[in-house]
Amino acid sequence: MLRIKDGFTGGRSIILPPMVIEMELADPLVSSLYITDIGYYPKATHHFRNRQTAIDCNVLIYCVEGAGWYSIDGGKQERVSANQYFILPANRAHVYAADENNPWTIYWVHFSGAQAKIYAEGAQHPQDVLPNINSRISDRNNIFEEMFATLDMGYERENLRYVSSLLHYYLASLRYLQQFRNAKHVDIGDKMDDNSIVAAAIHYMNENMEKPIKLKDIADYLGYSESHFSMIFKKMTGHSPISYINLMKIKEACVMLDHTDMKINQICHKIGISDCYYFSRLFSNTMGQSPKEYRQARK
């Protein structure tokens, strides 16, 4: 049985037992890079850690929304905002916390191994992962979910080896950001036609699935007025931008209901809806049944 803790509403974490970490260390493949703890905390109000006794693993914190801060060895306090990450090096005292007024939503991983220093190098200061037309934020988040889901299935050797391989890919997507983006380059050209505008808008929606997206956000991203963008989007898709966003969110929720054991309040946060009652109404209006009924019917 995995030890999974929900430290915050919608939060998930897995802390690997010492016996499993010993298995990782003993495996010639896994020992190169392995996870000791992993989690996702949405809007982590009052999140605070003060480790004056250093731990022997690196700590990656990837902020996708909100803000926070950290310091290493009692040094300068660094501010972190949305679309930034940092890595606290192993064997160094540190402290970090969510912003009191705008608490962060974070993916986090404690990792170690012979190759860990390669990925941690240069990331003691906040690193930008800003969305653009070539960004692959949703792809990266899917890698995280695959690591989490695999550990959730059990600690068999093959699972640990697969997660180690995924961890290389996940950390490389941050450490070698431009190469990760270039591998799936999307060229919309200097002048966008209507199809390109819609493609860029849908890309933005995917990249920001975990946030409450407003019409103005997309229009500003594309450099169009809200009315002009809405007219183009409705003409090309038959849906208003907000209606389309909601359809995308419900589609993603269906995938999670079908293929994960995430609680409904966890799924809410993963698709950028903090009000579970609103999510249930939106889901019921779209799918004709509540999230709970949908999941039961698919078993």
Side-chain angles (χ1 to χ4, degrees), residues 9-202:
T9 302
R12 297 170 290 143
S13 64
I14 298 176
I15 294 84
L16 275 65
M19 180 186 70
V20 176
I21 295 173
E22 289 177 7
M23 288 172 57
E24 293 178 313
L25 283 167
D27 189 290
L29 178 62
V30 180
S31 61
S32 66
L33 191 71
Y34 59 89
I35 287 173
T36 63
D37 310 79
I38 183 172
Y40 167 80
Y41 291 161
K43 298 188 183 301
T45 305
H46 307 308
H47 185 207
F48 176 80
R49 294 288 184 273
N50 186 357
R51 296 189 177 102
Q52 293 308 306
T53 300
I55 56 177
D56 60 354
C57 58
N58 302 275
V59 179
L60 164 71
I61 294 182
Y62 176 23
C63 176
V64 296
E65 189 179 3
W69 61 269
Y70 68 96
S71 69
I72 301 171
D73 290 333
K76 176 186 174 184
Q77 189 177 108
E78 300 267 15
R79 293 287 301 173
V80 187
S81 55
N83 302 307
Q84 289 187 318
Y85 77 93
F86 61 93
I87 298 177
L88 302 166
N91 303 309
R92 303 274 295 276
H94 60 248
V95 57
Y96 55 85
D99 184 87
E100 290 184 5
N101 300 314
N102 185 24
W104 57 20
T105 292
I106 56 172
Y107 291 89
W108 57 267
V109 181
H110 293 197
F111 67 96
S112 192
Q115 308 301 324
K117 286 185 178 180
I118 296 173
Y119 295 107
E121 183 182 6
Q124 293 183 30
H125 302 288
Q127 307 292 304
D128 291 332
V129 192
L130 301 174
N132 63 30
I133 194 60
N134 296 315
S135 60
R136 299 173 60 191
I137 293 171
S138 61
D139 288 348
R140 181 180 299 106
N141 292 346
N142 286 339
I143 299 169
F144 179 95
E145 292 301 335
E146 197 157 340
M147 291 191 296
F148 196 100
T150 303
L151 289 173
D152 197 16
M153 289 188 291
Y155 298 137
E156 292 85 352
R157 185 184 68 168
E158 298 306 310
N159 285 2
L160 296 176
R161 286 186 165 186
Y162 184 55
V163 169
S164 175
S165 300
L166 287 172
L167 181 59
H168 276 281
Y169 190 25
Y170 184 74
L171 294 175
S173 78
L174 295 166
R175 178 72 175 81
Y176 307 108
L177 179 64
Q178 198 55 55
Q179 288 78 6
F180 180 67
R181 290 180 170 182
N182 289 346
K184 197 173 182 181
H185 180 69
V186 180
D187 185 4
I188 60 172
D190 294 330
K191 182 175 176 60
M192 294 192 293
D193 58 19
D194 288 354
N195 282 318
S196 298
I197 291 169
V198 170
I202 293 173

